[in-house]
Coordinates of all heavy atoms in Angstrom, one line a residue:
G1263 N 12.9 3.7 18.2 CA 12.3 3.5 16.9 C 10.8 4.0 16.9 O 10.2 4.2 18.0
S1264 N 10.3 4.2 15.8 CA 8.9 4.7 15.6 C 7.9 3.5 15.7 O 8.1 2.5 15.1 CB 8.8 5.4 14.3 OG 7.4 5.7 14.1
L1265 N 6.8 3.7 16.4 CA 5.7 2.7 16.4 C 4.6 3.1 15.4 O 3.7 2.3 15.3 CB 5.1 2.7 17.8 CG 6.1 2.2 18.9 CD1 5.4 2.3 20.3 CD2 6.4 0.7 18.7
T1266 N 4.7 4.2 14.8 CA 3.7 4.7 13.9 C 3.4 3.7 12.8 O 2.2 3.3 12.5 CB 4.0 6.1 13.3 OG1 4.3 6.9 14.4 CG2 2.9 6.6 12.5
K1267 N 4.4 3.2 12.1 CA 4.2 2.3 11.0 C 3.6 1.0 11.4 O 2.6 0.5 10.8 CB 5.6 2.0 10.2 CG 6.1 3.2 9.6 CD 7.5 2.9 9.0 CE 8.2 4.1 8.7 NZ 9.2 4.6 9.7
S1268 N 4.0 0.4 12.5 CA 3.5 -0.9 13.0 C 2.1 -0.7 13.5 O 1.2 -1.5 13.2 CB 4.3 -1.5 14.0 OG 4.5 -0.7 15.1
M1269 N 1.8 0.4 14.1 CA 0.4 0.7 14.6 C -0.5 0.9 13.4 O -1.7 0.4 13.4 CB 0.4 1.9 15.5 CG 1.1 1.6 16.9 SD 0.3 0.2 17.8 CE -1.3 0.8 18.0
T1270 N -0.1 1.7 12.4 CA -0.9 1.9 11.2 C -1.2 0.6 10.5 O -2.4 0.3 10.2 CB -0.2 2.8 10.2 OG1 0.0 4.1 10.9 CG2 -1.0 3.1 9.0
A1271 N -0.2 -0.3 10.3 CA -0.5 -1.6 9.7 C -1.4 -2.4 10.5 O -2.3 -3.1 10.0 CB 0.9 -2.3 9.5
T1272 N -1.3 -2.4 11.8 CA -2.1 -3.2 12.7 C -3.6 -2.7 12.6 O -4.5 -3.5 12.5 CB -1.7 -3.1 14.2 OG1 -0.4 -3.6 14.2 CG2 -2.6 -3.9 15.1
L1273 N -3.8 -1.4 12.6 CA -5.1 -0.8 12.5 C -5.8 -1.1 11.2 O -7.0 -1.4 11.1 CB -5.1 0.7 12.9 CG -4.8 1.0 14.3 CD1 -4.6 2.5 14.5 CD2 -5.8 0.5 15.2
V1274 N -5.0 -1.0 10.1 CA -5.5 -1.3 8.8 C -5.9 -2.7 8.7 O -6.9 -3.1 8.2 CB -4.6 -0.8 7.7 CG1 -5.1 -1.3 6.3 CG2 -4.5 0.7 7.6
G1275 N -5.0 -3.6 9.2 CA -5.3 -5.0 9.2 C -6.5 -5.4 10.0 O -7.3 -6.2 9.5
A1276 N -6.8 -4.7 11.1 CA -8.0 -5.0 11.9 C -9.2 -4.5 11.0 O -10.2 -5.1 11.1 CB -7.9 -4.2 13.2
A1277 N -9.1 -3.4 10.4 CA -10.2 -2.9 9.5 C -10.5 -3.8 8.4 O -11.6 -4.0 8.0 CB -9.9 -1.5 9.0
V1278 N -9.4 -4.4 7.8 CA -9.6 -5.4 6.7 C -10.3 -6.7 7.3 O -11.3 -7.1 6.7 CB -8.2 -5.8 6.1 CG1 -8.4 -7.0 5.2 CG2 -7.7 -4.7 5.3
D1279 N -9.9 -7.1 8.5 CA -10.5 -8.3 9.1 C -12.0 -8.0 9.4 O -12.8 -8.9 9.3 CB -9.8 -8.7 10.4 CG -8.5 -9.4 10.1 OD1 -8.3 -9.9 9.0 OD2 -7.7 -9.5 11.1
A1280 N -12.3 -6.8 9.8 CA -13.7 -6.4 10.1 C -14.5 -6.2 8.9 O -15.7 -6.0 8.9 CB -13.7 -5.1 11.0
G1281 N -13.9 -6.2 7.7 CA -14.6 -5.9 6.4 C -14.9 -4.5 6.1 O -15.7 -4.2 5.2
D1282 N -14.3 -3.6 6.8 CA -14.5 -2.1 6.6 C -13.7 -1.6 5.4 O -14.2 -0.7 4.8 CB -14.1 -1.3 7.9 CG -15.0 -1.7 9.1 OD1 -16.2 -2.0 8.9 OD2 -14.5 -1.6 10.2
V1283 N -12.6 -2.2 5.1 CA -11.7 -1.8 4.0 C -11.2 -3.1 3.4 O -11.2 -4.2 4.0 CB -10.6 -0.9 4.4 CG1 -11.1 0.4 5.0 CG2 -9.6 -1.5 5.3
A1284 N -10.6 -3.0 2.2 CA -9.9 -4.1 1.6 C -8.5 -3.7 1.3 O -8.2 -2.5 1.1 CB -10.6 -4.5 0.3
W1285 N -7.6 -4.6 1.3 CA -6.2 -4.3 1.0 C -6.0 -3.6 -0.3 O -5.2 -2.7 -0.5 CB -5.3 -5.5 1.0 CG -5.1 -6.1 2.3 CD1 -5.5 -7.3 2.8 CD2 -4.4 -5.5 3.5 NE1 -5.2 -7.5 4.1 CE2 -4.5 -6.5 4.6 CE3 -3.7 -4.3 3.7 CZ2 -3.9 -6.2 5.8 CZ3 -3.1 -4.0 4.9 CH2 -3.2 -5.0 5.9
T1286 N -6.9 -3.9 -1.3 CA -6.8 -3.3 -2.6 C -7.6 -2.0 -2.8 O -7.6 -1.4 -3.9 CB -7.3 -4.3 -3.7 OG1 -8.7 -4.7 -3.3 CG2 -6.4 -5.5 -3.7
D1287 N -8.2 -1.5 -1.7 CA -8.9 -0.2 -1.8 C -7.9 0.9 -1.8 O -6.8 0.8 -1.2 CB -9.8 0.0 -0.5 CG -11.0 -0.8 -0.4 OD1 -11.3 -1.5 -1.4 OD2 -11.6 -0.8 0.7
S1288 N -8.2 2.0 -2.6 CA -7.3 3.1 -2.6 C -7.5 3.9 -1.3 O -8.5 3.9 -0.7 CB -7.6 4.0 -3.8 OG -8.8 4.7 -3.6
I1289 N -6.4 4.5 -0.9 CA -6.4 5.3 0.3 C -7.4 6.5 0.1 O -8.1 6.8 1.0 CB -5.0 5.9 0.6 CG1 -4.0 4.8 0.7 CG2 -5.0 6.8 1.8 CD1 -4.2 3.8 1.8
S1290 N -7.4 7.1 -1.1 CA -8.3 8.2 -1.3 C -9.8 7.8 -1.3 O -10.6 8.7 -1.0 CB -8.0 8.9 -2.6 OG -8.1 8.1 -3.7
T1291 N -10.1 6.6 -1.5 CA -11.5 6.1 -1.3 C -12.0 6.3 0.1 O -13.1 6.7 0.3 CB -11.6 4.6 -1.7 OG1 -11.2 4.5 -3.1 CG2 -13.0 4.1 -1.5
H1292 N -11.1 6.0 1.0 CA -11.5 6.1 2.5 C -11.1 7.4 3.1 O -11.6 7.8 4.2 CB -10.9 5.0 3.2 CG -11.5 3.6 2.7 ND1 -12.7 3.2 3.1 CD2 -11.0 2.7 1.9 CE1 -13.0 2.0 2.6 NE2 -11.9 1.7 1.8
L1293 N -10.2 8.2 2.5 CA -9.8 9.5 3.0 C -10.0 10.5 1.9 O -9.0 11.1 1.4 CB -8.4 9.5 3.5 CG -8.1 8.5 4.6 CD1 -6.6 8.4 4.9 CD2 -8.8 9.0 5.9
P1294 N -11.2 10.8 1.4 CA -11.4 11.7 0.3 C -10.9 13.1 0.4 O -10.5 13.7 -0.5 CB -12.9 11.6 0.0 CG -13.5 11.2 1.3 CD -12.5 10.3 2.0
E1295 N -10.8 13.5 1.7 CA -10.3 14.9 2.0 C -8.8 15.0 1.5 O -8.4 16.1 1.3 CB -10.5 15.3 3.4 CG -9.7 14.4 4.4 CD -10.4 13.1 4.8 OE1 -11.4 12.7 4.2 OE2 -9.9 12.5 5.8
L1296 N -8.1 13.9 1.4 CA -6.7 14.0 0.9 C -6.6 14.0 -0.6 O -5.6 14.4 -1.1 CB -5.9 12.8 1.5 CG -5.8 12.7 3.0 CD1 -5.0 11.4 3.3 CD2 -5.0 13.9 3.5
S1297 N -7.6 13.5 -1.3 CA -7.5 13.4 -2.8 C -7.1 14.7 -3.4 O -6.3 14.7 -4.4 CB -8.8 12.9 -3.3 OG -9.0 11.6 -3.0
A1298 N -7.7 15.8 -3.1 CA -7.4 17.1 -3.7 C -5.9 17.5 -3.6 O -5.4 18.2 -4.5 CB -8.3 18.2 -3.1
S1299 N -5.3 17.1 -2.5 CA -3.9 17.5 -2.3 C -2.9 16.5 -2.9 O -1.7 16.7 -2.8 CB -3.6 17.7 -0.8 OG -3.8 16.5 -0.1
L1300 N -3.3 15.4 -3.4 CA -2.4 14.3 -4.0 C -2.3 14.4 -5.5 O -3.3 14.8 -6.2 CB -3.0 12.9 -3.6 CG -3.0 12.5 -2.2 CD1 -3.7 11.2 -2.0 CD2 -1.6 12.5 -1.6
A1301 N -1.1 14.1 -6.0 CA -0.9 14.0 -7.4 C -1.8 12.9 -7.9 O -2.1 11.9 -7.2 CB 0.5 13.7 -7.7
P1302 N -2.3 13.0 -9.2 CA -3.3 12.0 -9.7 C -2.8 10.6 -9.6 O -3.6 9.6 -9.2 CB -3.4 12.4 -11.1 CG -3.2 13.8 -11.2 CD -2.1 14.1 -10.1
E1303 N -1.5 10.3 -9.8 CA -1.0 8.9 -9.7 C -1.0 8.4 -8.3 O -1.0 7.2 -8.1 CB 0.4 8.8 -10.4 CG 1.5 9.7 -9.7 CD 1.6 11.1 -10.2 OE1 0.7 11.6 -10.9 OE2 2.6 11.8 -9.8
L1304 N -0.9 9.3 -7.3 CA -1.0 8.8 -5.9 C -2.4 8.6 -5.4 O -2.5 7.9 -4.4 CB -0.2 9.8 -5.1 CG 1.3 10.0 -5.3 CD1 1.9 11.1 -4.4 CD2 2.0 8.7 -5.2
Q1305 N -3.3 9.1 -6.1 CA -4.7 8.9 -5.6 C -5.2 7.5 -5.8 O -6.1 7.1 -5.1 CB -5.7 9.9 -6.4 CG -5.4 11.3 -6.1 CD -6.3 12.2 -6.9 OE1 -7.2 11.8 -7.7 NE2 -6.1 13.5 -6.8
R1306 N -4.5 6.7 -6.5 CA -4.8 5.3 -6.8 C -4.0 4.3 -5.9 O -4.2 3.1 -5.9 CB -4.6 4.9 -8.2 CG -5.5 5.7 -9.2 CD -5.3 5.2 -10.6 NE -3.9 5.4 -11.1 CZ -3.4 6.5 -11.6 NH1 -4.1 7.6 -11.8 NH2 -2.1 6.5 -12.0
V1307 N -3.2 4.8 -5.0 CA -2.3 4.0 -4.2 C -3.2 3.2 -3.2 O -4.1 3.8 -2.5 CB -1.3 4.8 -3.4 CG1 -0.6 4.0 -2.3 CG2 -0.3 5.5 -4.3
T1308 N -3.0 1.9 -3.1 CA -3.8 1.1 -2.2 C -3.1 0.9 -0.8 O -2.0 1.3 -0.7 CB -4.0 -0.3 -2.8 OG1 -2.7 -1.0 -2.8 CG2 -4.6 -0.3 -4.2
F1309 N -4.0 0.4 0.1 CA -3.4 0.1 1.4 C -2.2 -0.9 1.3 O -1.2 -0.7 2.0 CB -4.5 -0.4 2.4 CG -5.5 0.6 2.8 CD1 -6.8 0.6 2.2 CD2 -5.2 1.6 3.7 CE1 -7.7 1.5 2.6 CE2 -6.1 2.5 4.1 CZ -7.4 2.5 3.6
L1310 N -2.4 -1.9 0.5 CA -1.3 -2.9 0.4 C 0.0 -2.2 -0.2 O 1.1 -2.5 0.4 CB -1.8 -4.0 -0.6 CG -0.8 -5.1 -0.8 CD1 -0.4 -5.8 0.5 CD2 -1.3 -6.1 -1.8
E1311 N -0.1 -1.4 -1.2 CA 1.0 -0.7 -1.8 C 1.7 0.2 -0.8 O 2.9 0.2 -0.6 CB 0.6 0.0 -3.0 CG 0.2 -0.8 -4.2 CD -0.4 0.0 -5.3 OE1 -1.1 1.0 -5.0 OE2 -0.2 -0.5 -6.4
L1312 N 0.9 1.0 -0.1 CA 1.4 1.9 0.9 C 2.1 1.2 2.1 O 3.3 1.5 2.4 CB 0.3 2.8 1.5 CG 0.7 3.9 2.4 CD1 1.5 4.9 1.7 CD2 -0.5 4.5 3.1
L1313 N 1.5 0.2 2.6 CA 2.1 -0.5 3.8 C 3.2 -1.5 3.4 O 4.0 -1.9 4.3 CB 1.0 -1.2 4.6 CG 0.0 -0.3 5.2 CD1 -1.2 -1.0 5.8 CD2 0.7 0.6 6.2
S1314 N 3.3 -1.8 2.2 CA 4.5 -2.7 1.8 C 5.5 -1.9 1.1 O 6.4 -2.4 0.5 CB 4.0 -3.8 0.8 OG 3.4 -3.3 -0.3
H1315 N 5.4 -0.5 1.2 CA 6.5 0.4 0.7 C 6.7 0.2 -0.8 O 7.8 0.3 -1.3 CB 7.8 0.2 1.4 CG 7.7 0.4 2.9 ND1 7.7 1.7 3.5 CD2 7.4 -0.4 3.9 CE1 7.5 1.6 4.8 NE2 7.3 0.3 5.1
R1316 N 5.6 0.0 -1.6 CA 5.7 -0.1 -3.0 C 5.0 1.0 -3.7 O 4.8 1.0 -4.9 CB 5.1 -1.4 -3.5 CG 5.9 -2.6 -3.0 CD 5.4 -3.9 -3.6 NE 4.0 -4.0 -3.2 CZ 3.0 -4.5 -4.0 NH1 3.3 -5.0 -5.2 NH2 1.8 -4.7 -3.5
A1317 N 4.4 1.9 -3.0 CA 3.6 3.0 -3.6 C 4.3 3.9 -4.5 O 3.7 4.5 -5.4 CB 2.9 3.8 -2.5
A1318 N 5.6 4.2 -4.3 CA 6.3 5.2 -5.1 C 7.3 4.5 -6.1 O 8.0 5.2 -6.8 CB 7.0 6.2 -4.2
L1319 N 7.4 3.2 -6.1 CA 8.3 2.6 -7.0 C 7.8 2.6 -8.5 O 6.7 2.5 -8.7 CB 8.5 1.1 -6.7 CG 9.3 0.8 -5.4 CD1 9.3 -0.7 -5.1 CD2 10.7 1.3 -5.4
A1320 N 8.8 2.9 -9.4 CA 8.5 2.8 -10.8 C 8.0 1.5 -11.2 O 8.5 0.4 -10.6 CB 9.7 3.3 -11.6
A1321 N 7.2 1.4 -12.2 CA 6.7 0.1 -12.6 C 7.8 -0.8 -13.3 O 7.8 -1.9 -13.2 CB 5.5 0.3 -13.6
N1322 N 8.7 -0.1 -14.0 CA 9.8 -0.8 -14.7 C 11.1 -0.5 -14.1 O 11.8 0.4 -14.5 CB 9.7 -0.5 -16.2 CG 8.4 -0.8 -16.8 OD1 8.0 -2.0 -16.7 ND2 7.8 0.1 -17.5
L1323 N 11.5 -1.2 -13.1 CA 12.7 -1.0 -12.4 C 13.9 -1.3 -13.3 O 13.8 -2.3 -14.1 CB 12.9 -1.8 -11.1 CG 11.8 -1.5 -10.1 CD1 11.9 -2.5 -8.9 CD2 12.0 -0.1 -9.6
P1324 N 15.0 -0.6 -13.4 CA 16.1 -0.8 -14.3 C 16.9 -2.1 -13.9 O 17.5 -2.7 -14.7 CB 16.9 0.4 -14.2 CG 16.6 1.0 -12.9 CD 15.1 0.7 -12.6
D1325 N 16.8 -2.5 -12.7 CA 17.6 -3.6 -12.2 C 16.7 -4.8 -12.1 O 15.9 -5.0 -11.2 CB 18.2 -3.3 -10.9 CG 19.2 -4.3 -10.3 OD1 19.1 -5.5 -10.8 OD2 20.0 -4.0 -9.5
A1326 N 16.9 -5.8 -13.0 CA 16.0 -7.0 -13.0 C 16.1 -7.8 -11.7 O 15.1 -8.4 -11.3 CB 16.4 -7.9 -14.2
E1327 N 17.2 -7.8 -11.1 CA 17.4 -8.6 -9.9 C 16.6 -7.9 -8.8 O 15.9 -8.6 -8.0 CB 18.9 -8.6 -9.5 CG 19.1 -9.5 -8.3 CD 20.6 -9.6 -8.0 OE1 21.4 -9.5 -8.9 OE2 21.0 -9.8 -6.8
L1328 N 16.6 -6.6 -8.7 CA 15.7 -5.9 -7.7 C 14.3 -6.2 -8.0 O 13.5 -6.4 -7.0 CB 16.0 -4.4 -7.8 CG 15.2 -3.5 -6.8 CD1 15.5 -4.0 -5.4 CD2 15.6 -2.1 -6.9
A1329 N 13.9 -6.2 -9.2 CA 12.5 -6.4 -9.5 C 12.1 -7.9 -9.1 O 11.0 -8.1 -8.6 CB 12.2 -6.2 -11.0
A1330 N 13.0 -8.8 -9.4 CA 12.7 -10.2 -9.0 C 12.6 -10.3 -7.5 O 11.7 -11.0 -6.9 CB 13.8 -11.1 -9.5
F1331 N 13.4 -9.6 -6.7 CA 13.3 -9.6 -5.3 C 12.0 -9.0 -4.8 O 11.4 -9.6 -3.9 CB 14.5 -8.8 -4.7 CG 14.4 -8.7 -3.2 CD1 14.8 -9.7 -2.4 CD2 14.0 -7.5 -2.6 CE1 14.7 -9.6 -1.0 CE2 13.9 -7.4 -1.2 CZ 14.2 -8.4 -0.4
A1332 N 11.6 -8.0 -5.4 CA 10.4 -7.3 -5.0 C 9.2 -8.3 -5.2 O 8.3 -8.4 -4.4 CB 10.1 -6.1 -5.8
R1333 N 9.2 -9.0 -6.3 CA 8.1 -10.0 -6.6 C 8.1 -11.1 -5.6 O 7.1 -11.6 -5.2 CB 8.2 -10.5 -8.0 CG 7.7 -9.6 -9.1 CD 7.6 -10.3 -10.4 NE 8.8 -10.8 -10.9 CZ 9.8 -10.2 -11.6 NH1 9.6 -8.9 -11.8 NH2 10.9 -10.8 -12.0
S1334 N 9.3 -11.6 -5.2 CA 9.4 -12.7 -4.3 C 9.1 -12.4 -2.9 O 8.7 -13.3 -2.1 CB 10.8 -13.3 -4.4 OG 11.7 -12.4 -3.8
T1335 N 9.1 -11.1 -2.5 CA 8.8 -10.7 -1.1 C 7.5 -10.0 -0.9 O 7.1 -9.7 0.2 CB 9.9 -9.8 -0.6 OG1 10.0 -8.6 -1.4 CG2 11.3 -10.5 -0.6
T1336 N 6.7 -9.9 -2.0 CA 5.4 -9.2 -1.9 C 4.4 -10.2 -1.4 O 4.2 -11.2 -2.0 CB 5.0 -8.6 -3.3 OG1 6.0 -7.8 -3.7 CG2 3.7 -7.9 -3.2
P1337 N 3.7 -9.8 -0.3 CA 2.6 -10.7 0.2 C 1.5 -10.7 -0.7 O 1.2 -9.8 -1.4 CB 2.3 -10.1 1.5 CG 2.6 -8.6 1.4 CD 3.8 -8.6 0.5
S1338 N 0.8 -11.9 -0.8 CA -0.4 -11.9 -1.6 C -1.5 -11.2 -0.9 O -1.5 -11.1 0.4 CB -0.8 -13.4 -1.9 OG -1.2 -14.0 -0.7
I1339 N -2.5 -10.8 -1.6 CA -3.6 -10.1 -1.0 C -4.4 -11.0 0.0 O -5.0 -10.5 0.9 CB -4.6 -9.6 -2.1 CG1 -3.8 -8.5 -2.9 CG2 -5.9 -9.0 -1.6 CD1 -4.5 -8.0 -4.1
E1340 N -4.4 -12.3 -0.2 CA -5.1 -13.2 0.7 C -4.5 -13.3 2.0 O -5.1 -13.7 3.0 CB -5.2 -14.6 0.1 CG -6.1 -14.7 -1.2 CD -5.4 -14.1 -2.4 OE1 -4.2 -14.3 -2.5 OE2 -6.1 -13.6 -3.3
E1341 N -3.2 -12.9 2.1 CA -2.5 -13.1 3.4 C -3.0 -12.1 4.4 O -3.4 -11.0 4.2 CB -1.0 -13.0 3.2 CG -0.5 -14.2 2.5 CD 1.0 -14.1 2.3 OE1 1.7 -13.1 2.7 OE2 1.5 -15.0 1.7

């Protein structure tokens, strides 16, 4: 298996703990060199959305049960 995802999450979590970034900061705020190559809607993706695999989901999912599951499993920003 890949260690990249867990290492990325660990490093971002450490940066949050150190006060260098916030979970709600957009990725493009801290990596502005990527902004030009991203679609406008992706420029606003936050660390929390990216690391919880919610960055590309549509806002209005057609399946209400799936949407309820997503809400119940999403960590709060304070965690």
Side-chain angles (χ1 to χ4, degrees):
S1264 172
L1265 294 175
T1266 305
K1267 294 177 195 94
S1268 60
M1269 289 302 297
T1270 300
T1272 299
L1273 291 172
V1274 172
V1278 169
D1279 284 346
D1282 296 327
V1283 301
W1285 289 114
T1286 55
D1287 288 351
S1288 70
I1289 303 299
S1290 61
T1291 299
H1292 296 280
L1293 299 170
E1295 62 276 10
L1296 294 178
S1297 290
S1299 63
L1300 294 174
E1303 63 274 11
L1304 296 178
Q1305 292 178 4
R1306 297 182 302 272
V1307 171
T1308 67
F1309 288 106
L1310 180 62
E1311 292 169 329
L1312 184 68
L1313 294 172
S1314 61
H1315 302 275
R1316 295 183 303 143
L1319 289 177
N1322 299 309
L1323 297 174
D1325 186 338
E1327 188 174 330
L1328 179 59
F1331 175 78
R1333 284 191 300 278
S1334 70
T1335 59
T1336 301
S1338 68
I1339 293 173
E1340 292 79 32
E1341 293 180 358

